[in-house]
Amino acid sequence: MGKFTPFLISRRLNQLFEQIVCKKSGNVGHPFGSHSFSSRVGIPDSRQNFTQTVTKNAGDRVYASYNVYKGKAGVSMMPCLPTFTKLDSGNLVISRRGSVMLTFFPAIGERKYDWTKKQLFSLSATEIGTLISLGPRDSCEFFHDPGMLSSTAGQVRKSLTIKSHADGNGYFISLNVVNNMQNTKEFLSVPFTAGEFSVMKTACSFALPHILGWDQLTRPSHQGMGKVVQPNKVDREALSLEWER
């Protein structure tokens, strides 16, 4: 009988994991690509991890979100880069501010989430600064009115609450959405461990200069940027509803 090397054992375990995950029916697809979910953070989709390759024809968009899946709901976090417009002078100016998009989605069963009922909340640079500065027993709350300064002002109200656990070892991140036009109320809450929240804070710290557009200042030149720099692909219509003011 031949010997099994650690690589072969790991490969076989990954194949078994893929077979188990892929055979489960009824999982709801991710908007950035179809894959199965885990109710625990940190368990990747083996199909993406071991078979995805980058080719010359793959396009220029990168999908890299940080996801936390829990029993009643989950949340996905991804930066939305700013867009730049090229002026007649050749200089670039930001035409749309960047943000960090939080996408909440409810659970509809074990390891199953309904992305058709997702709710979005975009964190501005200042709100990201508040999140980064939170201590183990601190809390904060952000309020958004996507229709502010328009005829729909006050019709949709969103509040994001970040509240520390009583023992200081984690946080609850909760989104409350009141939509008077549709007469609906949505409340989604995701518990974060201290480690998960630390990843979130570190990721936001890394993303902050990029959503401000400051990373462009350190480029040797602006050649190849064109008239507009496209951000990562997200639900642009929903993003506009969130931030057009």
Side-chain angles (χ1 to χ4, degrees):
M1 182 179 295
K3 293 183 179 180
F4 288 93
T5 65
F7 171 79
L8 291 176
I9 294 174
S10 175
R11 182 178 179 182
R12 180 55 180 161
L13 289 174
N14 289 329
Q15 290 173 343
L16 290 173
F17 173 76
E18 181 177 359
Q19 292 172 2
I20 294 172
V21 172
C22 293
K23 287 182 179 179
K24 289 184 177 293
S25 60
N27 288 334
V28 181
H30 191 292
F32 307 131
S34 178
H35 67 275
S36 302
F37 295 124
S38 166
S39 60
R40 295 177 61 84
V41 69
I43 303 178
D45 179 357
S46 59
R47 287 172 296 172
Q48 288 186 336
N49 251 16
F50 300 104
T51 64
Q52 182 177 5
T53 58
V54 178
T55 67
K56 293 182 179 180
N57 298 323
D60 58 355
R61 287 192 175 97
V62 177
Y63 305 103
S65 59
Y66 177 56
N67 307 315
V68 176
Y69 306 115
K70 294 302 172 72
K72 294 184 178 180
V75 64
S76 176
M77 179 181 75
M78 191 169 73
C80 298
L81 301 180
T83 58
F84 293 80
T85 298
K86 195 170 186 179
L87 303 178
D88 293 338
S89 62
N91 296 324
L92 296 173
V93 61
I94 288 181
S95 57
R96 183 188 292 273
R97 297 171 293 174
S99 64
V100 169
M101 176 67 75
L102 299 180
T103 303
F104 291 79
F105 39 91
I108 56 175
E110 185 178 358
R111 294 192 294 270
K112 298 176 183 177
Y113 299 87
D114 189 351
W115 284 84
T116 66
K117 296 182 179 179
K118 67 181 182 291
Q119 295 288 346
L120 307 180
F121 196 95
S122 293
L123 292 172
S124 67
T126 301
E127 290 168 337
I128 291 172
T130 300
L131 184 152
I132 293 171
S133 66
L134 290 177
R137 296 186 181 276
D138 294 334
S139 301
C140 66
E141 188 168 9
F142 306 121
F143 297 93
H144 285 186
D145 179 354
M148 185 180 292
L149 302 181
S150 72
S151 59
T152 60
Q155 294 299 308
V156 179
R157 300 191 305 275
K158 299 183 178 184
S159 63
L160 181 75
T161 303
I162 304 176
K163 186 177 181 180
S164 62
H165 293 171
D167 58 5
N169 191 31
Y171 296 81
F172 281 103
I173 300 183
S174 305
L175 177 64
N176 187 55
V177 180
V178 178
N179 190 326
N180 293 323
M181 294 183 292
Q182 299 178 1
N183 196 27
T184 59
K185 294 182 179 180
E186 298 288 343
F187 179 78
L188 299 168
S189 185
V190 181
F192 274 63
T193 66
E196 291 164 352
F197 195 74
S198 179
V199 172
M200 186 178 191
K201 291 173 64 175
T202 303
C204 284
S205 296
F206 174 82
L208 189 55
H210 297 273
I211 67 173
L212 288 172
W214 287 12
D215 61 314
Q216 304 299 329
L217 298 175
T218 61
R219 286 192 174 191
S221 70
H222 298 299
Q223 293 180 356
M225 293 181 64
K227 291 186 177 181
V228 179
V229 175
Q230 294 294 341
N232 289 334
K233 185 178 181 182
V234 295
D235 190 333
R236 301 306 301 174
E237 180 181 357
L239 184 60
S240 296
L241 290 175
E242 175 75 19
W243 285 111
E244 287 291 346
R245 299 183 178 182

